[in-house]
Amino acid sequence: MAFENHRQDLRLVLHSFIVLLTCISDNSPLEMTNIKSKSQSQSDEAEGPDGGWGWVLVVAMFVSSSLVFGLMRSLGIFFVEFVQYFEESAQAISWISSTGLAAQQFFSPLAAALCNAYNPRVVVMTGGFLAGLGLTLASQSTCLVHLYLTMGVISGFGWGMVFTPMVATVMANFTRRRALALGLGFSSIGLSSFAFNPLFQLLVETYAWRGALLILGALSLNIVPCGALIRPQRRSKAPEKVDSETKSCASMLRRIASYLELSLLTERPYLTYTLGVTLFNVGYFVPYFHLVAHSRQVGFSEYQAAFVMSAAGASDILGRVVSGWFSDLGHFRVVHLLTLWTGLAGVFIMLLPVSSMSGSYATLMVISLLYGFCSGALTSVVFAVVPMIVGVERTMGALGLLQLIESGAGLLGTPLSGFLKDVTGNYIASFMVAGSFLLLGMLTMTTLPRFFSCTDPPPPQRRSLDAKEKVLDLELEQMNSSPSDKNHTVESNDPANPKLC
């Protein structure tokens, strides 16, 4: 009996050793001989290679961002045209841009889940097609509902499938220069804001708003080749789940929850950060949709009003690049810089109507330049903070959830501003309330864990085993729970069968 027990132990050890060799054999020879090198290479891969093809992706992000947020920021030119053509209130017209912004953010988790399950390249290319399709259909609208569905839902859906995958793909290719790469990619938003406002005004005067929207639809199709530049990435998480889990309803729900990274909703740092971003997102886009209308209301010409936004867009470019470069120097924590830029942007938003009350165009221009710089500076670091909170591996899902949660703020911000204008007759209260939301978001950021520390806390690690380690554990558990092992345990504990040493 003792010999039988030892044979059972020997069989268990040999089986475990064979499974372990199988796991190791799938790795490279260097990893087999140097475990430290293996862990270091995996860590470097997770953080990003800091360049290479990543710079091509920065160019693709540069173009696609200009055709998403750069175009969205310049839709204020159409605001006045829609009010005059449809003879509706400012609040009703504001729902067009708010619906597009909210749709872009609401569908971002879906885009992130599709990227985790399939291929970011296909997702971005599809989003570019939908963005162009929505604007093309909007040129044929005959009522506001048509604009809500086309410019709002369809184009917003396309924008959501472009923005989050492009940002996450660029961040995955950079580590030390991540903020600089994002700043360069996002700088196109300011550049396009500078160029699009007078261009859209010229298109509206030449082809009317219908012809201008048709041209914008064709322009948006350039996002498709930008998405084609994304190389297919190796996915280790999704195939494992597809192969290891059954097709039951419960397993499908677990897979969907994993693709969406819903576990982040139970982590306090991520929830606090998301709340802060959501609050300042309420007022962030208000100047881009209502500053042109406000400038025309106080007596400036159409081109003067358009040039105010162009000037803000020009300083936005400088703010994005300077902020990204400065944050990568490492002198200050990125979250501290984000809080600083958010507070300053909120103050300058509140000063925008005050500067124009005197009728001084130069004063309005200076405040617009300062606002543009700070608003551009905060966008370079707002997404760079996400990997520091959740880790690089969960960045795609974290960005998607962040965009989903803040979609409600984007949906309500501009209509709230339009409502205040309808009630008061001017945009002073609108800008005051918008700036206060940014200050409130800044205060919320200060409640992050270890916010006042001089060093970043380590990001949480995913608490899941490697698939082959799971297989090994399962095999060992099955061996331990086999009838022979149970008999072995009983016999070992039996006083009549003393344990041999």
Side-chain angles (χ1 to χ4, degrees):
M1 184 63 66
F3 176 75
E4 181 68 20
N5 293 339
H6 281 291
R7 190 176 67 177
Q8 294 279 354
D9 293 339
L10 181 60
R11 187 179 66 177
L12 177 62
V13 172
L14 289 176
H15 182 80
S16 302
F17 184 71
I18 292 173
V19 174
L20 183 61
L21 287 178
T22 304
C23 296
I24 297 177
S25 63
D26 291 339
N27 297 324
S28 63
L30 179 61
E31 292 174 326
M32 295 174 57
T33 58
N34 195 334
I35 302 300
K36 184 176 181 180
S37 299
K38 171 187 174 182
S39 61
Q40 182 67 31
S41 63
Q42 290 177 343
S43 175
D44 293 342
E45 180 182 358
E47 292 180 349
D50 258 326
W53 189 256
W55 292 115
V56 178
L57 297 178
V58 170
V59 175
M61 179 181 169
F62 182 92
V63 176
S64 61
S65 296
S66 66
L67 296 175
V68 175
F69 280 105
L71 188 147
M72 195 183 302
R73 285 183 170 190
S74 303
L75 292 180
I77 298 297
F78 294 91
F79 180 84
V80 179
E81 301 298 326
F82 291 155
V83 170
Q84 296 174 353
Y85 183 86
F86 294 103
E87 297 181 351
E88 296 284 351
S89 65
Q91 181 183 8
I93 300 298
S94 297
W95 281 104
I96 300 173
S97 56
S98 288
T99 304
L101 176 62
Q104 180 268 319
Q105 296 172 334
F106 182 81
F107 290 113
S108 290
L110 175 61
L114 291 175
C115 291
N116 286 332
Y118 300 104
N119 193 339
R121 173 191 288 178
V122 178
V123 174
V124 174
M125 294 176 68
T126 304
F129 172 76
L130 291 176
L133 176 64
L135 292 173
T136 302
L137 294 176
S139 66
Q140 307 303 316
S141 299
T142 58
C143 64
L144 285 183
V145 176
H146 294 164
L147 291 176
Y148 294 155
L149 295 177
T150 53
M151 288 183 67
V153 178
I154 298 178
S155 291
F157 184 25
W159 294 333
M161 297 183 69
V162 171
F163 181 71
T164 299
M166 286 300 304
V167 173
T169 302
V170 169
M171 285 198 294
N173 283 269
F174 291 90
T175 303
R176 298 187 309 273
R177 290 172 286 186
R178 180 178 294 144
L180 177 60
L182 290 177
L184 292 174
F186 285 143
S187 64
S188 64
I189 300 178
L191 180 62
S192 58
S193 298
F194 177 78
F196 283 173
N197 279 280
L199 174 63
F200 290 178
Q201 185 66 47
L202 178 63
L203 291 177
V204 168
E205 293 180 354
T206 305
Y207 303 104
W209 65 267
R210 294 185 184 276
L213 286 179
L214 186 62
I215 294 175
L216 296 187
L219 191 63
S220 296
L221 293 177
N222 287 283
I223 298 176
V224 176
C226 293
L229 293 174
I230 301 177
R231 287 179 172 176
Q233 299 175 353
R234 184 181 63 183
R235 302 188 311 273
S236 59
K237 180 174 62 174
E240 292 171 1
K241 294 177 181 175
V242 173
D243 295 338
S244 62
E245 297 186 54
T246 62
K247 295 183 179 181
S248 65
C249 181
S251 65
M252 288 296 296
L253 291 177
R254 287 195 298 270
R255 285 168 53 191
I256 293 173
S258 178
Y259 291 146
L260 294 175
E261 301 289 359
L262 295 182
S263 61
L264 290 171
L265 298 178
T266 62
E267 299 179 8
R268 177 177 172 260
Y270 180 76
L271 290 178
T272 303
Y273 178 76
T274 301
L275 177 60
V277 174
T278 301
L279 286 173
F280 74 67
N281 192 59
V282 175
Y284 179 80
F285 290 97
V286 168
Y288 294 103
F289 293 122
H290 288 161
L291 183 56
V292 173
H294 167 72
S295 301
R296 293 181 60 175
Q297 187 185 51
V298 297
F300 300 121
S301 67
E302 295 180 356
Y303 279 97
Q304 281 181 319
F307 190 72
V308 169
M309 284 306 305
S310 296
S315 61
D316 180 285
I317 303 171
L318 182 62
R320 292 172 189 270
V321 177
V322 171
S323 174
W325 167 77
F326 184 73
S327 62
D328 284 339
L329 295 179
H331 298 319
F332 300 94
R333 290 181 61 189
V334 179
V335 68
H336 291 165
L337 295 176
L338 172 62
T339 305
L340 172 65
W341 298 127
T342 302
L344 291 177
V347 170
F348 290 128
I349 288 178
M350 300 174 74
L351 291 177
L352 282 173
V354 177
S355 63
S356 59
M357 291 176 62
S358 61
S360 174
Y361 186 73
T363 304
L364 177 62
M365 183 66 67
V366 171
I367 299 298
S368 298
L369 289 172
L370 294 174
Y371 160 71
F373 183 90
C374 294
S375 65
L378 73 90
T379 54
S380 292
V381 294
V382 64
F383 295 113
V385 176
V386 175
M388 301 178 183
I389 295 178
V390 304
V392 178
E393 186 181 13
R394 298 189 293 176
T395 298
M396 181 77 76
L399 287 176
L401 285 177
L402 174 63
Q403 295 278 298
L404 172 63
I405 296 173
E406 66 175 347
S407 63
L411 180 65
L412 298 176
T414 309
L416 175 62
S417 175
F419 171 76
L420 293 175
K421 187 268 177 185
D422 292 335
V423 172
T424 62
N426 55 59
Y427 290 96
I428 296 178
S430 300
F431 287 111
M432 290 294 180
V433 173
S436 65
F437 273 104
L438 270 80
L439 296 179
L440 186 59
M442 177 197 69
L443 295 177
T444 304
M445 290 289 183
T446 61
T447 63
L448 282 169
R450 298 182 60 182
F451 175 83
F452 296 100
S453 174
C454 296
T455 58
D456 289 312
Q461 300 295 325
R462 183 182 294 274
R463 293 174 296 179
S464 62
L465 297 174
D466 185 77
K468 294 182 178 179
E469 294 176 348
K470 291 182 179 180
V471 173
L472 176 60
D473 293 339
L474 181 62
E475 292 286 344
L476 293 177
E477 182 179 354
Q478 291 176 350
M479 290 292 297
N480 291 331
S481 62
S482 63
S484 60
D485 292 332
K486 291 180 180 179
N487 294 334
H488 167 66
T489 304
V490 173
E491 293 172 356
S492 300
N493 295 332
D494 190 352
N497 295 287
K499 190 175 182 179
L500 298 178
C501 298

